[in-house]
Amino acid sequence: LVWASSVRARIPEWADDLSFWGDAAEKEPNHGIPHLHYGMALATQLRGLNAEAFRLRGWTGGEQEAEPSPEDLKRADELAAEARELDLAAEAAYLRAWQVYDDNEGRFLTSNNLGTLLMGRGGHLTTEGRNEEDPDRKEELLRSAQAEYDKAVAQFRRAIRIQPSYHKARFNWGTTESNLAGLARLRGDLPDYTTHFDRVLPLYEEAIKFNPRYYKAYAARAGLLLSRRLPGQALEAYELAARWAGSESDRQRSRQGAARAAQRFEGQPPDPGSRARLHLEQAERSRAQGRVFTATGLYWSAVRLDPELGRAWAAWGDLTGQWVANALSRGDVLQVLTSL
């Protein structure tokens, strides 16, 4: 009866997860579980605020889609300020959880959640940078995004060191590498793009190896294979994603992806040599149109499919050499050295 009265008295404090775990963390400062779950509750609120702020700015697709009103911009700024506070509070909760946890399970879960928070922060900064018009401010935002992504990778790697079979950390690491590849592409850094892009698929496959029913990894792997112009493998991956989907909406998305992959597969040459020549033709068209970054990626895809394709090697080397020369002309020696 005493316990029940206590619970009834605290119902207003426990109206949601945020207030429940915040209250628990305050009352049990030396236990890891309340701090971990408080951080997770803060992160959930944070995602909602960021999504609404992006919507008000017209950034729902990652880039500005509509001109926002002054009222919407003001409200978006207010939400962004609230989001920054929640972001820092969530990070502090995770760091406290790591400090007081006395078991490995709590620590690898905390590292994974902290990494996810930092990955989201990097994504937020990337979207801001993509929509920034001032070149100096844009570069500052994109460099900050890279720093947050790098910190996220460190957390996922720490989680895996503690628990090597933890599939979610491998999946999240792969997703962060994919985001880093997108960031490198946005900055026009082809070697960095290639480095990160090549890390993604093995990490998704490792996640599947440790949990063969992990829907998210199958779906992400399928999308990646489709972007690499491997629709046959993507079709198989989408079918597996549909099999292990936990909801009807996820299953429907996977079936739609499988239909796209099947449509592309029907029109693609089946053998690697023919696909390599197809990529070479697409690369040369892109280069003629001045789409140098796309052309370089297609040349690289061609030589990976057919290492004997000398024309593709020569063109890829030529464009990569131009990138190095341009970077050196800007005095960006460090970028060149770290990309070799």
Side-chain angles (χ1 to χ4, degrees), residues 27-43:
K27 291 177 168 58
E28 298 288 347
N30 296 318
H31 288 80
I33 289 177
H35 294 287
L36 171 59
H37 284 274
Y38 183 46
M40 292 166 65
L42 287 164

Side-chain angles (χ1 to χ4, degrees), residues 135-268:
D136 292 336
R137 176 60 178 158
K138 184 186 195 76
E139 181 62 19
E140 179 186 352
L141 287 165
L142 296 182
R143 286 187 182 276
S144 297
Q146 174 139 6
E148 297 301 331
Y149 284 140
D150 288 342
K151 289 192 288 185
V153 168
Q155 291 298 326
F156 297 135
R157 295 182 69 177
R158 182 164 72 169
I160 292 167
R161 283 197 301 272
I162 298 170
Q163 178 54 271
S165 63
Y166 189 42
H167 60 283
K168 290 185 179 180
R170 292 178 188 276
F171 171 76
N172 288 332
W173 181 5
T175 301
T176 307
E177 292 289 352
S178 179
N179 292 345
L180 280 163
L183 182 61
R185 183 168 186 165
L186 190 60
R187 298 172 69 186
D189 187 341
L190 178 65
D192 203 36
Y193 168 82
T194 303
T195 296
H196 293 296
F197 189 78
D198 285 347
R199 291 173 182 164
V200 181
L201 189 59
L203 285 163
Y204 287 159
E205 290 176 343
E206 287 175 14
I208 290 169
K209 180 180 75 173
F210 287 111
N211 184 353
R213 300 185 178 189
Y214 191 39
Y215 159 77
K216 286 185 177 180
Y218 282 116
R221 178 175 176 270
L224 185 64
L225 289 168
L226 197 57
S227 74
R228 286 187 171 185
R229 298 175 176 81
L230 298 171
Q233 295 180 46
L235 175 58
E236 179 185 1
Y238 275 123
E239 288 172 346
L240 286 167
R243 178 181 179 184
W244 299 117
S247 68
E248 185 56 38
S249 59
D250 287 341
R251 191 172 296 108
Q252 186 63 30
R253 277 194 293 270
S254 297
R255 287 171 178 161
Q256 290 169 355
R260 289 194 304 273
Q263 186 177 19
R264 294 190 193 182
F265 185 60
E266 289 173 1
Q268 187 183 74

Side-chain angles (χ1 to χ4, degrees), residues 56-58 64 66-73:
L56 290 169
R57 289 191 171 112
Q64 188 148 356
E67 190 66 33
S69 67
E71 293 77 14
D72 283 347
L73 282 176

